Amino acid sequence: MASSRISDCPDSPNCVSSLSRDQDHYASPFRVDIAPDEAWAALKRVLGAEPRTRVVEEDKERWYLRAEATSRLFRFVDDVEFQLIPEERLMHVRSASRVGYWDLGVNRRRVERLREALKREGLWR
């Protein structure tokens, strides 16, 4: 894979990433069975439907995107990163809290919710 822009997870249990080497932080990457441009458009549609989530950085040349997700009650901001690797037919993902130690599983649930939404969008069959 070309060098990833996705950040590593800290030691704290408030982050999941498809690039993590340890099981506590690992989440599977998203499979991509459609053209890269279609997958990118599907990702942006899915993120646009997520409450209190906004895209803050996009580098389509490197297929990288970062969004911020803000919690409803305490207004905590989580970073959600994606990097599409067309030649591997994968989209890597990372979701992490900026503050605090434990996230009560919020980031893992977000990744799995996004996985299901992208599957409904036809990212893979």
Side-chain angles (χ1 to χ4, degrees):
M1 177 176 94
S3 71
S4 174
R5 290 192 53 191
I6 291 181
S7 306
D8 290 333
C9 281
D11 290 336
S12 55
N14 61 1
C15 175
V16 295
S17 171
S18 59
L19 295 172
S20 180
R21 288 184 168 26
D22 74 87
Q23 278 307 116
D24 291 338
H25 292 104
Y26 182 75
S28 297
F30 304 149
R31 222 174 78 214
V32 179
D33 290 341
I34 58 178
D37 284 327
E38 293 174 42
W40 203 248
L43 172 64
K44 290 173 71 173
R45 279 193 305 275
V46 164
L47 289 174
E50 280 284 297
R52 298 170 310 282
T53 301
R54 67 187 184 101
V55 173
V56 294
E57 183 180 355
E58 180 179 5
D59 180 351
K60 193 168 176 194
E61 186 175 303
R62 293 187 59 201
W63 297 108
Y64 173 83
L65 183 144
R66 184 174 64 85
E68 294 176 343
T70 305
S71 68
R72 182 177 56 219
L73 187 59
F74 293 110
R75 313 301 290 166
F76 294 132
V77 177
D78 294 345
D79 291 300
V80 190
E81 297 176 278
F82 303 87
Q83 188 157 25
L84 178 64
I85 312 297
E87 60 274 11
E88 294 178 18
R89 303 178 69 92
L90 292 176
M91 183 182 294
H92 286 286
V93 60
R94 175 187 185 265
S95 184
S97 302
R98 286 187 185 171
V99 297
Y101 180 75
W102 188 42
D103 68 352
L104 302 170
V106 166
N107 286 293
R108 185 168 299 282
R109 286 192 304 275
R110 174 183 296 118
V111 166
E112 295 311 317
R113 185 176 61 248
L114 292 169
R115 181 185 314 283
E116 289 304 312
L118 287 166
K119 185 176 183 180
R120 286 192 301 275
E121 287 282 329
L123 212 64
W124 70 92
R125 293 161 199 55

